[in-house]
Each structure stands twice: as C-alpha cells, then as structure tokens.
Amino acid sequence: METVTNKLPNQVEDLLPLKGTDHIEFYVGNAKQSALYYQYCFGFELVAYRGPETGCRDRVSYVLQQDKIRFVLTSSLLTDSEISKHVALHGDGVKVLALWVDDATASYNLTVERGAVSVKAPETTEDEFGTITTASIQTYGETIHTFVERKNYKGAFMPGFEARKSNERIQSIGLKYVDHCVGNVELGDMDRWVKFYQDVLGFKLLITFDDKDISTKYTALMSKVVSNGNGYVKFPINEPAKGIKKSQIEEYIDFYKGAGVQHIAIATDNIIETVGTLRKNGVDFLYVPDNYYSDLLDRVGNIDEEIEDLKKHNILVDRDDEGYLLQIFTKPVQDRPTVFFEIIQRKGAKSFGKGNFKALFEAIEREQAIRGTL
Ligand code: FE2
C-alpha cells in the first residue's frame, strides 16, 4: 500500500467548528523550572500564573505565550493528587490539548452524544475581565481535550490566573502557531482513535502512511493524520509496527507507560534563524549525517535557502505537489525519551515530510541505541 492523501471537506459541513489550538497544558515535576526553560530556551513570554499567592492551594501553573502558541505548565503542591500521580506514572508530559471554540457547551454536548467520555461537564467561571466556559473529554491514554470558549473574556488567560510578566525581557524566536500534535498509541489502537476523531469530533482522515512508508532497516511505525474541517487542528496518530528491532513508538509507550502526545510541531517563518537561536540557547536536536545534503537538490528541486545553512543546522527539506517544507526534530525535552518538538517552516507544502521519515527515524534509532532501547 502507498501513502493515501485525501482533500479536506468544505468548511460548511464542519461538524465541530474549531478556531484552533487554545493551549497545551503539561503536567510537570517542577513548573517553576520548566517555565524558565520555555522562556529562556524557546522564547516564550510569561503571561499568567496561579498558585498559593493567587489563592490556589493544590497546584501552580505558569502560562507562557509566543504569537498564537500558549503553553500551560502545571505542578502539584500535594503528594497524592491527580497531577502528582500523572507525573509519577508518565514523567513530564502533555495532559491537555485544549481546543478553541465559540461554544464550549455545544461542543461538549455534541461530542459526548457521539460517544466521547466526559472528563468535566461545562463550567463557566468569572472575574473582572469576563467569563470563560470550559468542558473536557477524554482522548488517548490519559490525555484530554478541553473545549475553551473565551469570546467574553479579556483577561490574561482565565479566571483564577493573575497576569504576570517574565522577569527579563524575552525575545521571541519566531515560533508562530501549533502546526500539528502527534499522538502515540499502543499496537492495534491507531484505527480505533482515528475512528474516534472521525465519528465523535467530525475530523477527516487526511493521510495514511503504512509501515512501508515509515520504516528503516530495523524499525517501523504506521501513522494516520486526521484534521478538522478548516485544517487548523491536525492530529497524526502513530502506532508501532513490526520490525527487526524495537520501534521508537514502543520505546515511547514503555517510558510514558501508555499512549500520549509524542511531539508538537511548531511553525516558524524563518527556520534557519529560529533553529540557530534554539541551538544557541542550548536546545538539542536530532543529528542527520552530512550525506543527507549531498543529493538534496536532486530530490527537492530549487529552494530559497542555502544548502550550507541547512547543513549547518541539520534542517531537513521535503517537497510535495504544492510546495516544500523545512523541518527538524528536537531531542526529548525531559528525562524520559517521550515528548519532543518539531520546528517546521511551510513553503506551500501541506504534507508532513514523508521524504525525511527514513533519515529522521534512523536518527532516532541512533539515540535509541545509545539509550540501550533499540
Ligand atoms: Fe510532525
């Protein structure tokens, strides 16, 4: 079988209108330190905070923002809470993929009627800046989707949070918006979760990659990409496939203790500058050997960037019918080999870099081999 690509539906028939990703909440062991990492390494600005100083007794959260991207970093103040158990089991990881909607109650009712498992019924909270309504449903593993309705809110983030600023002036590094968020699920579960996004959230299957597309000599995985109607929210779902050695997806699931978010792809308009700054700030990236670049132009045709700049920063290129894209993966951003980031610049291409899968997955295998998990 080959890669199958489908067109997005007309927006008019969109079952669940989404305005984009509202925020991504990570449950972490030490939110204060993680918040500094994302400020000083990734160029996010601190915009809001909650904790004991704001009357919240059980947790602290730092809200960071860069252009349209909002991260919430949350740690427990208690020994035995849902958050501390989550961190003990999974390590630092993504708990909430929050979706920005016009009507959180309608989104919740619709999805629960269509089979979603409820996590939290709609709740409206209020402060001097207005009201916010949120409601949550379950997705793969212990990850949840929270619908966020903020059309009647003018504050920094949500009621319960106070506006805060970074101590130092933070320079944006050019990160613009969340391009896609990838989930890893257990062997045999990919189709079930694709069906969940299709049946319950009205997403469409955009692309199917089978294990022939995504395999190296040793390891393999399968992936299907689902998208909402307007294409603002895209969720590739991966499952491991049989290979001679252990799939990177199995390694993730072993360390995360189940299904969860594998990587968040963030778009930039200038990947060479963005990656240059990330490297200077201490962020580690996967290494792809220099020979990747020797026949690059034969594979992708003319591009605006200098090959030497791409090679210097180890940035990969792929082309589809509509244009090309540049991309790179960080190494995992916490101690366990679980969550990482992709930095992506799209120049017309709407695909996911299929031509780079082999080089990227061989790079991951080299890291797995060093960890003794291949
Ligand atoms: Fe990706």
Side-chain angles (χ1 to χ4, degrees):
M1 206 184 107
E2 288 178 3
T3 309
V4 181
T5 306
N6 300 319
K7 287 273 174 260
L8 282 176
N10 189 322
Q11 239 177 288
V12 181
E13 49 186 80
D14 203 357
L15 177 78
L16 176 74
L18 300 177
K19 298 162 79 94
T21 304
D22 187 88
H23 65 269
I24 296 173
E25 182 169 10
F26 299 76
Y27 280 179
V28 297
N30 189 333
K32 185 174 191 166
Q33 292 190 1
S34 295
L36 288 177
Y37 176 72
Y38 286 106
Q39 287 174 83
Y40 293 110
C41 295
F42 279 77
F44 281 79
E45 253 183 293
L46 177 64
V47 294
Y49 169 82
R50 81 176 158 197
E53 301 86 345
T54 69
C56 179
R57 311 309 303 175
D58 67 339
R59 66 189 68 190
V60 292
S61 296
Y62 292 81
V63 183
L64 307 175
Q65 195 162 349
Q66 186 168 178
D67 206 324
K68 293 193 174 71
I69 315 154
R70 220 187 262 125
F71 286 171
V72 181
L73 301 160
T74 296
S75 280
S76 180
L77 293 172
L78 310 173
T79 318
D80 193 24
S81 70
E82 172 236 339
I83 301 162
S84 48
K85 283 182 194 153
H86 197 280
V87 172
L89 184 64
H90 303 295
D92 289 5
V94 173
K95 176 63 184 181
V96 186
L97 292 171
L99 303 169
W100 181 25
V101 295
D102 260 333
D103 188 334
T105 307
S107 305
Y108 171 87
N109 288 339
L110 176 85
T111 49
V112 168
E113 248 166 51
R114 295 172 75 91
V117 173
S118 168
V119 174
K120 194 171 93 20
E123 185 186 15
T124 300
T125 51
E126 193 179 352
D127 65 13
E128 71 260 46
F129 302 105
T131 61
I132 288 236
T133 303
T134 59
S136 304
I137 59 168
Q138 196 68 51
T139 179
Y140 47 76
E142 288 201 297
T143 318
I144 67 173
H145 289 306
T146 298
F147 299 114
V148 181
E149 173 186 331
R150 52 172 68 255
K151 60 179 182 281
N152 300 314
Y153 195 70
K154 298 265 181 294
F157 181 56
M158 276 187 196
F161 286 78
E162 273 182 17
R164 280 277 175 99
K165 279 193 166 46
S166 299
N167 288 338
E168 305 281 328
R169 218 185 109 69
I170 300 287
Q171 195 75 42
S172 159
I173 64 158
L175 301 177
K176 299 279 181 196
Y177 60 88
V178 173
D179 187 274
H180 59 274
C181 288
V182 182
N184 282 345
V185 300
E186 279 106 342
L187 182 66
D189 275 355
M190 177 179 68
D191 284 329
R192 179 163 73 86
W193 285 108
V194 167
K195 198 167 158 31
F196 164 82
Y197 282 105
Q198 289 175 307
D199 294 353
V200 175
L201 283 87
F203 280 40
K204 301 294 178 227
L205 177 62
L206 202 59
I207 311 177
T208 300
F209 301 107
D210 70 8
D211 50 350
K212 287 181 194 61
D213 293 320
I214 319 183
S215 64
T216 66
K217 194 171 154 198
Y218 296 118
T219 70
L221 64 91
M222 294 191 287
S223 188
K224 288 186 177 176
V225 183
V226 291
S227 169
N228 81 313
N230 60 18
Y232 291 176
V233 179
K234 294 189 209 76
F235 294 140
I237 314 268
N238 297 332
E239 75 171 25
K242 277 251 165 307
I244 300 170
K245 296 192 176 183
K246 188 186 251 186
S247 171
Q248 52 165 300
I249 311 304
E250 266 176 278
E251 186 202 33
Y252 173 100
I253 286 168
D254 285 354
F255 277 93
Y256 199 73
K257 304 289 174 212
V261 171
Q262 179 211 37
H263 76 264
I264 299 161
I266 301 181
T268 168
D269 285 343
N270 188 338
I271 195 165
I272 293 171
E273 269 186 29
T274 297
V275 171
T277 312
L278 285 166
R279 284 190 184 279
K280 197 158 57 67
N281 293 349
V283 175
D284 291 328
F285 291 91
L286 286 183
Y287 172 71
V288 173
D290 283 356
N291 66 14
Y292 171 88
Y293 296 91
S294 51
D295 59 347
L296 182 64
L297 292 183
D298 298 337
R299 279 184 282 126
V300 301
N302 277 340
I303 54 172
D304 303 334
E305 295 73 16
E306 297 292 335
I307 297 285
E308 277 313 306
D309 289 338
L310 300 177
K311 195 169 161 180
K312 180 178 161 203
H313 293 303
N314 239 230
I315 294 164
L316 310 188
V317 190
D318 193 31
R319 188 177 280 282
D320 65 20
D321 303 345
E322 294 170 279
Y324 71 97
L325 63 82
L326 304 118
Q327 65 184 164
I328 189 167
F329 286 0
T330 70
K331 289 188 184 177
V333 291
Q334 59 292 306
D335 300 313
R336 297 192 201 189
T338 53
V339 185
F340 60 88
F341 289 95
E342 173 181 348
I343 309 297
I344 184 165
Q345 182 177 5
R346 294 188 179 278
K347 293 197 147 180
K350 295 203 181 75
S351 51
F352 294 86
K354 183 185 161 187
N356 291 327
F357 286 171
K358 195 162 180 285
L360 279 167
F361 297 141
E362 283 172 353
I364 293 175
E365 278 173 16
R366 284 191 287 278
E367 299 292 318
Q368 279 183 267
I370 294 166
R371 289 191 285 265
T373 59
L374 185 62

